[in-house]
Structures are given as structure tokens and as C-alpha cells.
Amino acid sequence: MDWQDEWWTSSLGRNGFWHREHPADHFRTSAGDAGDAAMTAEYLRALLSVLPEHLRHHSGAPGHGSPAGDPTRIAPTLVDLGAADGSLLRAAARARPGWALHGVDVRPAPADLPPTVHWHQHLWDVRTTGWTGPDGLPTNLLGPDGPDGPLLVVAHEWLDDLPCRVAQRTPTGWELLGPHGPTGWAPDPAEACWLEAWAGDARTVEVGLTRDRAWAAIAASLPPGSILVAIDYGHLRRDRPPEGALLGYRDGLLVDPVPDGRTNITAPVAVDALAAAVERVPGVRRLLVARQSTVMADLADTVPADPLPADRGAPLAALVGANRRRALADPGRLGANWWLVHAVGPTP
Ligand SMILES: C[S@@+](CC[C@H](N)C(=O)[O-])C[C@H]1O[C@@H](n2cnc3c(N)ncnc32)[C@H](O)[C@@H]1O
């Protein structure tokens, strides 16, 4: 089997990593650390502050591009893709008590979710480019079968976990790799086309097509007025890692990517390819593509650090918040993540 098939089986197959391991035992993220609610609250604060700024900037006359006539208004229905332990949704329930909140994950609902949170145990299948429900049947989760109205869809460190092919240059073209080395198989025509456009000078490349297709298909399924936010670590064509960047995490440590079901296998996202794919969907327009460090710096310049309702009047919380903002902005760590924010029609 090649990498995509082995990765799929070891992470999402019957005894795969996501079915038997707890994400928090293996890694921490800006959004999803149950042990650091202050970090998640700051990440959410950044998100909810940045979006109105960019909606205002990119919208035309008032009345366009928004759910209710105000161009800066964000749809009050948040969908967290890859919601894991529900940390982001818990923070959102505190900060925006009136919002409808939806978590989507292949994992079952975490215990003690706030009552405003609806959980959808669904799988994104990279082999069919669609959602399947717990019964294994396809669903139109973010379309007609899903939550009503325009949606704010967030995927934080989700796309990097979608299995993809890995290809290596040979003197005669590209060859797919598997965990045990070259497979002798050539990429299919769409994968070859992707490599031609996006591989840059790299010799070994994770083919981003499964991520591009996922994000474009999700964008295409959303009602007008929706906003898509993908936040992930990644690279651009000019700085693709020359030998690829397939990684493994186990027990908090970076390890070789072994498809054993005990190791979280992940690969950074090809950010420019992903943006191009979603921007080819009719009606989708770019609001922001930038590193998190830049987003946080711009935010510090333009938006006062107004506490979320839950923190108001708590000086210690304000101090902790400032500390977490610095961590989120650190360009050497969390700040290196990319933010890709897109709006779904109507075009102003
Ligand atoms: C790296 S964790 C990120 C969790 C959280 N968003 C955060 O930033 O901390 C990825 C989450 O996506 C879920 N996931 C991975 N692949 C999936 C798929 N194909 N379909 C549905 N959920 C998936 C995993 O179960 C896991 O909870």
C-alpha cells in the first residue's frame, strides 16, 4: 500500500489512532488544549475580533456579503471541524451564549458538553470526498442535512491530519511512496497535475489534493453568507521542504511517522494550493491568508484587548490572557500557523 492508504487505515480504520487515542495525550494546539482554557479563549477572541475587521474591509456597500445586512456581522452558528475534546466549543459557549454550536469529529461526543453544543460523529472520507455518518452512509452534513443558515466553519489543525499521497521525483517522472519506500506506482493524472503546479523544487512531496478537495467541497456546500476558517501549519511552493515533511507525534514527542495506529501521522498543508482550490469555488472570496503571528500583531494594533464577557472584571484573567496572546503570536511556534479565511458569496 502507498502512504495514503496506510495512513488512512492507521488513523481512521477500525482500530485507528483517532478511534483509540486521546488527542491531548499526544499534542497541544492553540485551540484544543483542555488543560489550558485561557489559551483557547484567547484564540477564540482573536478569531472573533479578526473576522469583523476583514468582513468590513472586503465588503462593499452595507447590506452585502452578510447574513443580516451588517457586513461585519458573523453568522451566529459555529461549526468546529475536528472538534476533538470540544475545547473550542466550550469557550464559544461561554463567550457567545446565544450562538448555535456544532462539533464535527470522527470521535464520539466528549462528556459534559454545554447544552448549546450539537455533536455530529461524522467522518470526512478522503477516498470519496464526502462525509459519512456513524452508520457508514454518506451525509450532506454541511448542506441541506446540516445546521440552518450561514455558518462560521472553523477547521483548526484538521486538514493536516487528512491522509494524502506522498510522491518522489525519479529520472522519468513522479513515483508514489509508501512506508516501506517506492511503490512502483505513478500518481494518477489529477495528482500529477497537482505536482506539476505545486511541488516547486522539492524532491519528495505530500500531494495536497485530498486537503484541497475537502476544503473546496466543504466551501461549495455552504449557504451564502458563510465564512470558512482553516488554521494549520503549512508551507508555500517557494519553501516546500525538499524531502517532504511527513511527521509523527506520540506521547507529546515528534517521532517517525509509523502507521501503527499508536502514532498521529500528519503533514503540513500546502497553503497556496489550498487557497487556490477554495478560491476556484464560485462565490468564494479571500478575506485573509496570513501567518498567525501577523494576524495577532495586526489585531494588537487595531483592536483593543477587550475581554470576552466571561472574563470581564477579572484582572488575573486579563494578565493570563496577555500571556497567552504572546504565545499565540510567537513566530517560532504557534504563530507560524497559517490562517486562511474565506467568505462564501454574494460577492460585493
Ligand atoms: C489534531 S486534532 C485537532 C483538534 C482541535 N481542532 C485542535 O485544534 O486542538 C484533529 C481532530 O480531527 C479529527 N479527525 C481527523 N481526521 C478526521 C476525519 N477524516 N473526519 C472527521 N474527523 C477527523 C480527530 O479525531 C481529531 O479530534
Side-chain angles (χ1 to χ4, degrees):
M1 288 204 289
D2 86 307
W3 258 118
Q4 182 169 308
D5 296 339
E6 291 271 11
W7 182 352
W8 177 266
T9 305
S10 79
S11 59
L12 292 153
R14 190 182 294 274
N15 278 319
F17 179 87
W18 295 118
H19 294 295
R20 57 188 225 183
E21 300 289 329
H22 286 280
D25 291 344
H26 297 273
F27 48 80
R28 297 277 185 266
T29 73
S30 310
D33 181 351
D36 191 351
M39 181 71 97
T40 311
E42 276 311 317
Y43 163 77
L44 180 72
R45 184 199 310 271
L47 188 65
L48 298 182
S49 307
V50 154
L51 294 181
E53 288 292 303
H54 285 274
L55 283 167
R56 181 180 301 119
H57 186 73
H58 287 269
S59 64
H64 278 270
S66 75
D70 172 357
T72 71
R73 181 145 164 232
I74 307 166
T77 304
L78 169 67
V79 181
D80 183 13
L81 300 184
D85 65 4
S87 300
L88 181 65
L89 296 164
R90 289 175 217 275
R94 283 192 294 275
R96 294 290 184 271
W99 282 24
L101 304 170
H102 296 262
V104 181
D105 205 291
V106 68
R107 301 169 58 78
D112 303 328
L113 279 177
T116 45
V117 175
H118 307 266
W119 192 263
H120 309 265
Q121 190 180 0
H122 279 52
L123 165 75
W124 179 265
D125 193 332
V126 298
R127 301 163 304 181
T128 59
T129 309
W131 294 106
T132 58
D135 54 7
L137 293 175
T139 64
N140 204 340
L141 180 63
L142 299 183
D145 306 344
D148 280 344
L151 308 176
L152 167 59
V153 177
V154 177
H156 189 271
E157 295 207 19
W158 180 67
L159 289 162
D160 65 276
D161 283 308
L162 297 188
C164 66
R165 304 231 184 268
V166 182
Q168 189 179 52
R169 283 183 203 275
T170 72
T172 54
W174 290 95
E175 178 176 11
L176 297 182
L177 296 180
H180 306 295
T183 60
W185 302 334
D188 73 18
E191 291 156 0
C193 200
W194 192 97
L195 285 160
E196 176 71 26
W198 298 110
D201 295 332
R203 289 177 290 277
T204 303
V205 182
E206 292 84 29
V207 184
L209 205 53
T210 49
R211 290 91 180 273
D212 297 0
R213 283 178 174 155
W215 209 228
I218 288 167
S221 70
L222 295 178
S226 298
I227 299 173
L228 277 159
V229 181
I231 301 181
D232 228 309
Y233 65 108
H235 39 59
L236 303 175
R237 182 169 37 200
R238 63 169 183 264
D239 61 13
R240 298 267 185 262
E243 304 301 338
L246 200 62
L247 304 168
Y249 282 97
R250 194 184 312 138
D251 303 327
L253 298 174
L254 202 54
V255 296
D256 286 339
V258 181
D260 56 4
R262 282 271 298 121
T263 305
N264 168 224
I265 299 177
T266 159
V269 170
V271 170
D272 37 10
L274 185 71
V278 75
E279 287 163 17
R280 280 201 296 274
V281 176
V284 170
R285 64 187 196 282
R286 176 187 295 211
L287 299 184
L288 170 70
V289 176
R291 294 237 190 223
Q292 182 161 298
S293 53
T294 309
V295 173
M296 296 302 291
D298 289 351
L299 205 56
D301 287 345
T302 54
V303 180
D306 180 35
L308 294 171
D311 299 344
R312 280 201 182 106
L316 184 59
L319 264 180
V320 172
N323 175 287
R324 297 303 187 274
R325 278 195 291 284
R326 272 194 296 281
L328 287 170
D330 179 355
R333 289 197 58 246
L334 297 175
N337 274 3
W338 286 89
W339 287 42
L340 290 87
V341 185
H342 289 86
V344 179
T347 308

